[in-house]
């Protein structure tokens, strides 16, 4: 189960370069339901996500590099590339994604929660902007097709 809130940003946090970050690329084999492949540094995954906005079922399976490269030739739409920064905040981890190539200068922040109650009670930092959790337009599966 994935419980997640998603935000646009007013500004980047100070000292962004000091936080750990990874380079991701991901593509979509299907968008309804979501079937995604992802390269996260040297880790490769196939992910299934159910429909929904803040709460969705999510299942991850490890892939080999060879399987990932094979499936990458079969994606629909664009291959999304982004840098993900991991920023601790109030007991949570903000995953701040800075998109590259034709999705730049898009920047999104996501925060995952253990419960819906925790997600609904979350107070974001001042540098967060609009809450887009319930806007499907900011799902990566949608961004892969525009």
């Amino acid at each position: 189960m994935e419980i997640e809130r998603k935000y646009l940003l007013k500004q980047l946090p100070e000292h962004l370069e000091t936080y750990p970050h990874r380079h991701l690329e991901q593509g979509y084999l299907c968008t309804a339901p979501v079937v995604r492949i992802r390269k996260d540094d040297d880790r490769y995954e196939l992910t299934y996500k159910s429909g929904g906005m803040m709460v969705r079922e999510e299942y991850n399976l490890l892939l080999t590099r060879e399987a990932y490269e094979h499936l990458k030739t079969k994606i629909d739409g664009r291959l999304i590339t982004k840098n993900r920064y991991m920023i601790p905040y109030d007991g949570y981890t903000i995953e701040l994604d800075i998109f590259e190539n034709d999705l730049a200068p898009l920047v999104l922040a996501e925060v995952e929660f253990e419960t819906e109650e925790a997600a609904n009670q979350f107070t974001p930092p001042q540098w967060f902007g609009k809450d887009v959790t319930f806007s499907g337009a900011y799902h990566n599966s949608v961004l892969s097709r525009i």
Side-chain angles (χ1 to χ4, degrees):
M1 180 76 65
E2 176 186 64
I3 304 169
E4 174 180 88
R5 302 273 305 264
K6 189 175 289 204
Y7 299 85
L8 296 173
L9 298 185
K10 291 184 210 172
Q11 63 189 45
L12 291 175
E14 292 183 7
H15 312 294
L16 182 62
E17 70 283 354
T18 65
Y19 296 106
H21 68 281
R22 309 183 312 271
H23 187 263
L24 281 68
E25 62 179 38
Q26 60 193 48
Y28 292 83
L29 302 170
C30 184
T31 57
V34 171
V35 179
R36 174 189 76 200
I37 58 169
R38 175 184 278 171
K39 177 180 185 256
D40 184 343
D41 283 340
D42 293 324
R43 181 182 172 92
Y44 305 90
E45 290 180 326
L46 174 78
T47 299
Y48 163 86
K49 289 187 179 195
S50 68
M53 294 296 183
M54 185 173 76
V55 179
R56 302 196 292 176
E57 291 292 328
E58 179 179 280
Y59 302 96
N60 295 299
L61 299 169
L62 289 177
L63 293 173
T64 64
R65 182 183 63 77
E66 293 78 16
Y68 172 82
E69 293 297 333
H70 173 75
L71 290 170
K72 190 164 81 167
T73 66
K74 300 178 181 333
I75 66 171
D76 292 332
R78 71 165 56 89
L79 183 70
I80 294 175
T81 59
K82 57 189 177 180
N83 287 303
R84 173 167 286 175
Y85 291 82
M86 308 301 285
I87 304 168
Y89 174 75
D90 199 24
Y92 298 103
T93 299
I94 296 167
E95 297 178 343
L96 186 130
D97 290 342
I98 299 177
F99 289 80
E100 298 179 330
N101 303 320
D102 56 341
L103 287 175
L106 180 61
V107 179
L108 290 171
E110 299 176 351
V111 182
E112 291 193 17
F113 302 90
E114 293 291 322
T115 66
E116 285 185 66
E117 181 181 10
N120 288 325
Q121 293 177 354
F122 179 69
T123 302
Q126 292 295 318
W127 46 273
F128 275 28
K130 182 179 178 182
D131 182 338
V132 294
T133 301
F134 297 99
S135 171
Y138 293 97
H139 282 187
N140 283 273
S141 59
V142 172
L143 294 173
S144 74
R145 296 180 308 190
I146 59 170

